[in-house]
Amino acid sequence: MAFIPKEFIENLLDKVDIYEVVSPRVHLKKAGKDYSGLCPFHAENTPSFTVSQQKQFYHCFGCGKNGTAISFLMDYEGLDFVDAVKDLAQKAGMEVPQQAGSYTQKTNSNLFEVTEKATRIFRHQLKAASHVIEYLKNRGISGQTAQIFQLGYALDEWDGLSKRFELNEQDLLKKTGLTTDNERNQTYDKFRNRLMFPIHDRRGRVIAFGGRAIEADQKPKYLNSPETELFHKSNELYGLHLAKKHSNEPYILVVEGYMDVIALHEKGIKNAVATLGTATSAQHIQTLFKSWDRIVFCFDGDSAGVQAAEKALKTALPLYLDRKIIDFLFLPEKEDPDSYVTKFGAEAFHEQINDAVAYSDLLIQILSKNINLNSLDGKAQLFDKAQPYINQLPKGNFKQIMGKKIAEISGIEQSRPQVFNQPKQQQTQHGENPLRKLISLLMNSPNLCAKMPQALNLHKLSFKGVEIVDKIVEIFNANPHISSAAMLEHFRDSEYSKYLGQLMRMYDHLDDQQKHLEFNDLVKYLQKMTSQQEINRLREKQLHTGLSNEEKQTLVQLLHQRHQ
Ligand SMILES: [Zn+2]
């Protein structure tokens, strides 16, 4: 799919060291010939994430994520393939060839051009919209803050924005969600007479917009871009690109609205992000835990706020690690962060944060809701209600402490077994596809391709994966010095890429010589299998249609070989 030449990727992966890419982002310790650390892609308390310098490959035993330095940047930083390659190339002092880019990359970058242009137009229009500027002033937003957040204004016209785009840009404009069709297929601007908030991705590129009504009777009050190729609500957090500059702060504040983030920023609290009209997702929490060790969720004091907090708490359960902290801040009724910080200032807001409710306390509050803890029955109820929650927590101190606490409150000794014996998994050694082993060996040590016997016709066997073996050998023949990681990159866009990544670890316990021996054994075994297969085929044919002289000779030869 990508148009970056494969040779460039091969050279690039030869120049970069995956350790240098991963170690600034994940704390790694030397473990044997590899490095290990806590996996950045799933919640865990004991390291199952390993980085192999030799193979230039990472792998997590916990969640199965794996890949090369390129995949790591894509997964960790949320970059697309081309950007990840560009980042690495820059570090390696290499220049990505000009024709770089794929079809989707190209449309995406065109979409970004459209969103950036729309942002410029909206910003320009704000300058002339005195009633909107007045509104911002009344809400305590300075011109400087408006600039930082690139606020703008959408005119009160059906085509105020779209008429500023060329005819051939209209399709792209629709793809960004800035225009939409009515039932008579007439296209019109989605945002009209609204204060515009560009929504940025974590790299600061505009991916969507939010628009706030200006007039009191205008409905809805807030309007967001729909989901598009660029915008997936549950992945994105408003203001993250700015907050990331403050990852040295001890916590990140998660609020509900754009205006909350902006008002806090105005008052100097710059480590805040907002969810975009969706509940907090596991992805949000994981993203934030990459940069901060403490999350403070800030909800309104009303019942909707409490409900949102409950939801966030539940989502966070399996992600709640010992070295991470989650707190919940409930503002006084009828206040939101915007109104509160504007009225009372940053100092007062910080005090609120100091008084935030601890995760464990909120959990117990939620569990004991509508339960009378003075009765024995109520206590037993609490204990039972708590178990599914506690089971979801990752193994560690916090889980233990919570378990004890619940037992204490409910007066029930923790004598009940927490973990039920699970039926032992059956050993499924039989029926293993030998090509899996072959592919794994070839991916691990591409130089083994040179030792593949010419006469070995794996197509005779009915195992899956022959085409992969062929492809690996073909790639090797084109570049006999290819590394494991570069080999893996060749399969990036193929359906096999995930499967190959998993196979990379199969022979980790063997050294090079042992791998050679394993390879020789395997090849012998496969040769035997193919000749047996051929014998069967010829015998079958002999019964039905008879064999030619040549075929007879082959059969005799094969039988002879087998008896040797
Ligand atoms: Zn993992």
Side-chain angles (χ1 to χ4, degrees), residues 470-521:
D470 285 350
K471 184 79 193 165
I472 293 173
V473 174
E474 183 192 318
I475 294 168
F476 171 82
N477 287 337
N479 175 10
H481 301 290
I482 193 162
S483 68
S484 286
M487 184 62 91
L488 191 60
E489 279 301 332
H490 271 272
F491 290 92
R492 167 167 296 281
D493 298 323
S494 84
E495 55 190 307
Y496 315 119
S497 80
K498 210 173 154 194
Y499 167 74
L500 291 175
Q502 284 160 359
L503 286 185
M504 290 291 275
R505 308 265 344 174
M506 203 163 169
Y507 288 103
D508 266 12
H509 54 292
L510 303 185
D511 62 27
D512 276 350
Q513 208 199 336
Q514 288 168 321
K515 276 185 224 166
H516 259 89
L517 292 175
E518 181 80 17
F519 176 79
N520 289 339
D521 281 353

Side-chain angles (χ1 to χ4, degrees), residues 180-188:
T180 184
D181 287 345
N182 65 13
E183 54 272 26
R184 276 178 295 161
N185 275 335
Q186 290 163 317
T187 305
Y188 62 94

Side-chain angles (χ1 to χ4, degrees), residues 39-44 48-49 60-65:
C39 178
F41 305 119
H42 86 280
E44 61 174 4
S48 44
F49 179 79
C60 172
F61 294 104
C63 64
K65 278 246 185 220

Side-chain angles (χ1 to χ4, degrees), residues 56 66 97 130 215 232 237 377 421:
Q56 290 295 307
N66 63 64
S130 51
E215 313 295 341
H232 306 285
L237 288 157
D377 203 35
N421 288 332

